[in-house]
Amino acid sequence: MSDPNTTDFTNPSTFILLGVPGLEAAHVWISIPFSAMYAVAILGNFTILFIVRIELSLHGPMYYFLCMLAISDLVLSTSILPKTLSIFWFNSREIDFSACLTQMYFIHCFLTVESGIFVAMALDRYVAICDPLRHSTILTNPVVAKIGLAVLLRGCVFVLPTPFLARRWAYCRTSIIPHTYCEHIAVVKLACNDTRVSNYYGLFVVFFVIGLDMLFIAVSYTQILRAIFSLPTKDTRLKTLGTCSSHLCVILAFYIPGLFSFLTQRFGHNVPLHFHVLMANMYLLVPPMLNPVIYGVRTKQIRDRLLRLFPHKGT
């Protein structure tokens, strides 16, 4: 008698997403924080885009990069949450094979794009603090647009081989993905070919692209901190450091969960599967939720403009 989860197809017409393995009974409860985070991410990032659009004083490199980050966050969270919530609420587990590969591409593409945006934001802070007199002449609007286009193209090009490699494999083991979305390694593990090419290419993207981004950001902030601590007064140092604090917070919120998820995925063989799946979702949901909150609270110009949208009695 054959295993019902095993078929003889090369390219399946559909995959089955399990959701959070082992916690199927709690799917409705898990959906509550997930949908709350998604709502905050949607509202917060659209608010950032709206405020920068209507406030002429925010039409500068830092805020243009922030808008790019907001768009990237919207794409990332929307790439996974609608399907995840349909699994939790309606038990709609099937996903078309092509749709699965498309979702995989968008997730990894915009993770790479987001990392590139953080590099661009680090460059902006570096020029603003270490060479402030030339900031407006170096980071002009055309230069910012070219940086944004380069970051987008880099993400699209480097991640493009991933779905094409995944499409080449023969999937003869099972069509069940123990995840809430089509995560690259979870899909590749279903193939019965030698998938070392996909694994090695995934590692290449992580270490060559994301690793170089982290190195560039670290070098930039080393120079920024040296410039800050060479300022003459404590008040000036604190004020200048405050202009970087929001960026540092969102960088940590992006890279630390991502690094933890990557390490548990590759080396955490004793980590429960449901924990890994939840962490992989947190990695894609928490930064899009936190980024607009951090910038809204810590950036005075955005906070003041937001408060002016809600007039107070007696003012």
Side-chain angles (χ1 to χ4, degrees):
M1 204 171 162
S2 63
D3 185 347
N5 291 334
T6 303
T7 55
D8 296 323
F9 45 68
T10 299
N11 283 339
S13 59
T14 59
F15 280 126
I16 305 297
L17 293 167
L18 282 185
V20 184
L23 297 179
E24 288 86 354
H27 274 177
V28 173
W29 296 105
I30 296 172
S31 72
I32 296 173
F34 275 36
S35 53
M37 286 188 284
Y38 184 53
V40 173
I42 294 294
L43 179 62
N45 284 295
F46 271 117
T47 300
I48 292 288
L49 292 171
F50 174 72
I51 288 177
V52 174
R53 173 70 180 83
I54 65 173
E55 182 59 52
L56 293 179
S57 65
L58 300 182
H59 289 188
M62 173 181 171
Y63 300 101
Y64 290 148
F65 289 135
L66 180 56
C67 287
M68 295 177 197
L69 182 65
I71 294 170
S72 177
D73 283 338
L74 288 169
V75 174
L76 265 180
S77 54
T78 304
S79 294
I80 67 162
L81 242 294
K83 181 58 184 176
T84 299
L85 292 179
S86 74
I87 296 170
F88 290 166
W89 291 343
F90 309 114
N91 203 32
S92 176
R93 299 171 186 269
E94 288 192 357
I95 183 168
D96 182 78
F97 180 66
S98 296
C100 182
L101 297 185
T102 302
Q103 185 189 51
M104 179 199 304
Y105 176 74
F106 270 89
I107 290 169
H108 292 283
C109 173
F110 278 89
L111 282 174
T112 308
V113 167
E114 189 145 330
S115 182
I117 293 170
F118 287 133
V119 173
M121 296 173 85
L123 174 65
D124 171 66
R125 290 299 84 206
Y126 170 78
V127 176
I129 292 172
C130 298
D131 198 359
L133 297 179
R134 297 178 58 203
H135 181 259
S136 59
T137 57
I138 293 174
L139 289 175
T140 60
N141 286 349
V143 170
V144 170
K146 289 175 183 177
I147 291 173
L149 181 60
V151 166
L152 178 62
L153 289 176
R154 185 191 72 153
C156 293
V157 170
F158 272 103
V159 179
L160 191 59
T162 302
F164 283 102
L165 286 171
R167 186 177 284 276
R168 288 182 56 215
W169 309 133
Y171 296 90
C172 55
R173 291 178 180 168
T174 179
S175 61
I176 297 175
I177 302 175
H179 217 297
T180 57
Y181 61 88
C182 291
E183 196 259 348
H184 176 237
I185 297 300
V187 173
V188 170
K189 283 180 179 178
L190 304 183
C192 46
N193 307 78
D194 183 354
T195 58
R196 281 181 293 182
V197 175
S198 279
N199 291 329
Y200 290 154
Y201 187 75
L203 289 171
F204 165 76
V205 171
V206 168
F207 287 108
F208 182 75
V209 179
I210 308 299
L212 283 181
D213 287 352
M214 294 174 68
L215 178 63
F216 184 89
I217 291 169
V219 171
S220 298
Y221 268 93
T222 300
Q223 297 301 315
I224 288 170
L225 291 175
R226 286 180 61 186
I228 288 174
F229 288 115
S230 66
L231 294 173
T233 65
K234 182 180 178 181
D235 288 344
T236 308
R237 289 195 293 269
L238 290 175
K239 184 178 180 181
T240 308
L241 188 62
T243 64
C244 302
S245 60
S246 299
H247 187 218
L248 283 172
C249 288
V250 296
I251 285 175
L252 293 175
F254 178 78
Y255 285 112
I256 290 177
L259 181 62
F260 184 78
S261 179
F262 173 77
L263 292 175
T264 55
Q265 180 187 78
R266 295 281 177 174
F267 309 110
H269 304 297
N270 296 323
V271 176
L273 184 57
H274 67 266
F275 180 80
H276 165 66
V277 171
L278 288 172
M279 278 302 303
N281 279 274
M282 291 299 102
Y283 172 45
L284 296 180
L285 286 176
V286 172
M289 176 192 69
L290 285 182
N291 292 346
V293 174
I294 290 171
Y295 273 102
V297 170
R298 299 192 63 87
T299 306
K300 184 177 185 298
Q301 293 90 332
I302 293 177
R303 186 174 66 245
D304 290 349
R305 186 63 184 87
L306 180 61
L307 291 174
R308 291 210 305 272
L309 295 175
F310 306 99
H312 302 280
K313 286 186 177 181
T315 61

